[in-house]
Structures are given as C-alpha cells and as structure tokens.
Amino acid sequence: MRARIETLRFESLAGWNDDDHLAALRAFERSARTLATGRHSARPAQPPSPELIATARAALDATLSAERDARQFFEARFRPFRVIPEDGAGFLTGYYEPCVRASMVETEEFRWPILARPADLVSFAPDAAPAGFPNGVTCARRLGDGSLVPYADRTQIETERLDPIVWVRDAVEAFLIQVQGSAQVEFPKGRRARLAYDGRNGLPYTSIGRILIDTGEIAESAMSLSSLKAWLRGDGERGLKLMRRNRSFVFFKLVGDFDPELGPVAGAGVALTPLRSIAVDRTIWAYGLPFWIDAELPWADETPRAFRRLMIAQDTGSAIVGPARADLYFGSGEAAGARAGAIRRNGEVVVLLPRGDQP
C-alpha cells in the first residue's frame, strides 16, 4: 500500500458523535450478509479478513435499533486508522445513477446503443491477469481455440455495435452511463428498467475531464457534470473523438424487475445507499470496510460545508485508484448528478479495521 497508516481514537474524529451511526449500520448490514455467506462479488476485491467476516456475523446476530447502540457497535468492533498517501492528501469524487429516457429499438430520437456483455468476454481479478497481459488489464477476449487476447477498445466496440439492449439519446448519454456504472431508463410508454453493470473490456480508464482541464479547455474550478456535457455536445465529432481517448468500455444487462427505492447493485453485490456507500480501490481494500470521511464539500448544495460521515466500501471503479481515494455515491437522478459532479476535493480518509486485524 502506497500510504502510511496512523492510529487514531474515535474521540479524535471531529463530528463522530454527531453522525447517524444507525444509518451507517444499516448500510454495513447489507455488506455483512454477503460477507457472512461468502457470496461472490460482481467485481472481486481484496478478500475480507477473518476478523471482518466475524464482525459481519456479529452485526447480523445483534438486534440494534438505537443510535447509541449502533455507535457503540462500531467503537467496540473496529479501530480507526488515518490513511496518509504519499502525496499527503486523500481525494474524493462523487457519482450517481443517471435516469434517462430510452427505447428498445433505434429511432431518430434514440440513436446510440447500450451494449450487452459479449459471450467471448472473460473477466479476472486484478492480480490474476494471464501471462503477457499489460498491468491493470482485468478482462480479455476468448478466441475459438481457447486462448486469451486483450479485448477491443472503445472505438472498435462502438463501431461494431454488437448486441444492443436499449438505445439512448446520444453518445454522451451512453458514455456517462458507463462512467457511473448503472442507470435507470424509462421507455416511451412509461415502463422503467435498470441498466446494471455486466463487465468491461478491461482496458485502462482515462479521465476525459482531466484531459479538458490539463489542456485548458475547461478551468478546474469550472469543471462539473453540466460543463462536461456542454463541451462534449458543443461539437459532436470533437466530443466523440475525446470520449474515445478513454479506451475503457462498460457492458450492461437490463433488469426489468427492480425496486427504485434501492440503489443499484454495485461491485460488492449489494444495493448502494446514498451518502453511505463509497467506491474504493478494490486492489487495496475489501468490500464492507467502514470508512470515516472528513472534508469540506458542496454535498448538500453549491456551498462547501463539513461532510463528516461514516461510509461503507461497497463499490469500485476503474478511476478509483489509491489507498485514500473514495467515490461517494449520491443517489439517482439529476439532482444527485449535479451534487456528485461537483465533488473533486481533498479530504481525510480514515479506515475502520476490525479489532484484531493488522493494518
């Protein structure tokens, strides 16, 4: 791990006593069910320690319905450690679930496809790439003779357009759905469905927002989801060319029977909870670990204010790289997207490790 770990006490965490620990416990219980049963995650992470599994079982066995009991559970079962990366600061971003209109067939209005997982796509853990594959590649194409080769990049996949499952407005909408990893779609007669993550081509992720900042196209202080969309749609061909510099591509499956009150089922295989679930680097952390996040963020409106909250690691992402890197899940819809798109801030990241687990 490219970071130092500093032992803390819970009473030293600013705002700790003011948080809603019962809400955090309910999110943790979702992860606990998968930890206790050993259920397979959609995107495998670091394996949970025996101590984390034991703590998960204890949470499920306990009957905790009061805020005080929930806080005491975390304090009794975990120890806090500040994660200090080499550059000295944690980095926080936000993500959300888009809600967009779509069609089951291509039309003049809906002309860009969302693609199903190809039958020849093979996924593997970050540390299990076949010999000869580049570092960081997590998927491959299985050829007819059984051999594996790196999968096609975004440009080739978008050109071939194989196995579309729904059609959305344009390439920008499809691209942002891939970046967020899920979406709710509404069809012309009002029926709704969810696009659930179903694999990726395994090529490294490139942030096109960072490219626009580094080239001076958009000032870092002005970068937001709305400014990114406006730039990409301002010149369709130029926008498409930029998006294709991100060679990573995500495939989906259509889920017709879903509960819109629950967040999408993400990397850990559990439904996300707004402002309680985070995505972390799965090569470093196990799913289900609690994290204390302390930062000044425009999380409720456009004004930065204290965000001090206990979050649960329940997702991952290609752009989430590093020990003190966290992506905060904000929920579904445009309002959640506006708030999530404004989060690009440094912050303090504290991991809670089960007692008996060594940092």
Side-chain angles (χ1 to χ4, degrees):
M1 188 189 303
R2 303 178 304 279
R4 291 188 295 114
I5 298 292
E6 179 181 282
T7 306
L8 299 174
R9 299 175 64 86
F10 282 105
E11 53 264 36
S12 71
L13 300 178
W16 172 257
N17 289 338
D18 300 324
D19 192 23
D20 186 347
H21 300 85
L22 189 58
L25 180 64
R26 295 295 177 250
F28 177 73
E29 287 171 343
R30 289 184 179 176
S31 288
R33 295 184 185 96
T34 66
L35 290 168
T37 60
R39 197 169 71 198
H40 175 69
S41 299
R43 301 186 71 184
Q46 280 295 313
S49 67
E51 290 80 6
L52 182 56
I53 294 173
T55 303
R57 289 173 176 159
L60 298 176
D61 290 340
T63 304
L64 304 176
S65 58
E67 159 61 26
R68 180 179 178 182
D69 293 339
R71 177 166 59 83
Q72 289 178 345
F73 173 86
F74 285 111
E75 291 175 349
R77 294 282 178 171
F78 293 92
R79 296 181 301 159
F81 297 87
R82 180 181 288 115
V83 183
I84 308 173
E86 289 179 344
D87 60 7
F91 188 65
L92 308 173
T93 51
Y95 71 116
Y96 76 110
E97 181 182 44
C99 297
V100 303
R101 296 171 60 234
S103 171
M104 293 296 293
V105 296
E106 183 179 11
T107 68
E108 185 175 344
E109 180 180 5
F110 302 108
R111 58 186 187 276
W112 201 268
I114 301 294
L115 303 181
R117 179 188 179 101
D120 59 1
L121 179 65
V122 177
S123 301
F124 36 81
D127 58 353
F133 271 58
N135 291 335
V137 173
T138 57
C139 296
R141 168 175 277 158
R142 188 179 299 280
L143 302 179
D145 61 3
S147 61
L148 298 176
V149 297
Y151 215 86
D153 65 8
R154 172 176 297 277
T155 300
Q156 183 178 339
I157 293 171
E158 289 183 343
T159 301
E160 294 176 350
R161 291 191 170 194
L162 300 177
D163 298 323
I165 51 175
V166 298
W167 299 78
V168 295
R169 176 184 170 191
D170 60 13
V172 175
E173 210 152 73
F175 182 88
L176 293 175
I177 289 171
Q178 291 186 40
V179 171
Q180 304 304 324
S182 70
Q184 291 185 36
V185 292
E186 181 176 349
F187 299 110
K189 292 186 178 181
R191 182 172 69 88
R192 300 182 70 87
R194 174 169 270 153
L195 291 170
Y197 175 93
D198 200 23
R200 54 187 292 269
N201 64 346
L203 297 181
Y205 177 90
T206 298
S207 170
I208 63 170
R210 173 49 59 185
I211 292 175
L212 291 176
I213 291 171
D214 290 346
T215 57
E217 293 285 345
I218 300 178
E220 186 159 14
S221 60
M223 175 57 75
S224 66
L225 182 62
S226 60
S227 63
L228 177 62
K229 286 181 180 179
W231 193 96
L232 292 173
R233 288 182 171 135
D235 182 329
E237 286 302 315
R238 187 172 65 154
L240 186 60
K241 183 178 179 180
L242 175 64
M243 288 185 286
R244 286 177 171 171
R245 290 181 65 177
N246 175 22
R247 302 173 67 226
S248 175
F249 192 92
V250 176
F251 302 99
F252 294 91
K253 58 185 174 183
L254 197 63
V255 180
D257 184 17
F258 76 101
D259 184 349
E261 297 301 315
L262 296 178
V265 175
V270 302
L272 300 179
T273 302
L275 296 178
R276 288 294 171 186
S277 298
I278 58 172
V280 296
D281 188 333
R282 63 178 176 143
T283 69
I284 297 174
W285 303 113
Y287 294 134
L289 283 172
F291 285 78
W292 179 255
I293 302 296
D294 184 347
E296 292 291 318
L297 305 175
W299 64 275
D301 53 35
E302 295 180 359
T303 303
R305 63 190 69 195
F307 183 93
R308 296 178 176 130
R309 190 171 288 224
L310 188 57
M311 314 284 280
I312 311 299
Q314 295 176 322
D315 200 4
T316 190
S318 302
I320 313 305
V321 179
R325 178 73 169 89
D327 206 15
L328 286 58
Y329 175 67
F330 272 77
S332 303
E334 290 187 9
R339 297 277 56 82
I343 307 299
R344 291 185 59 85
R345 301 291 179 99
N346 290 334
E348 184 172 279
V349 175
V350 175
V351 62
L352 273 59
L353 296 179
R355 292 187 180 274
D357 204 353
Q358 297 300 313

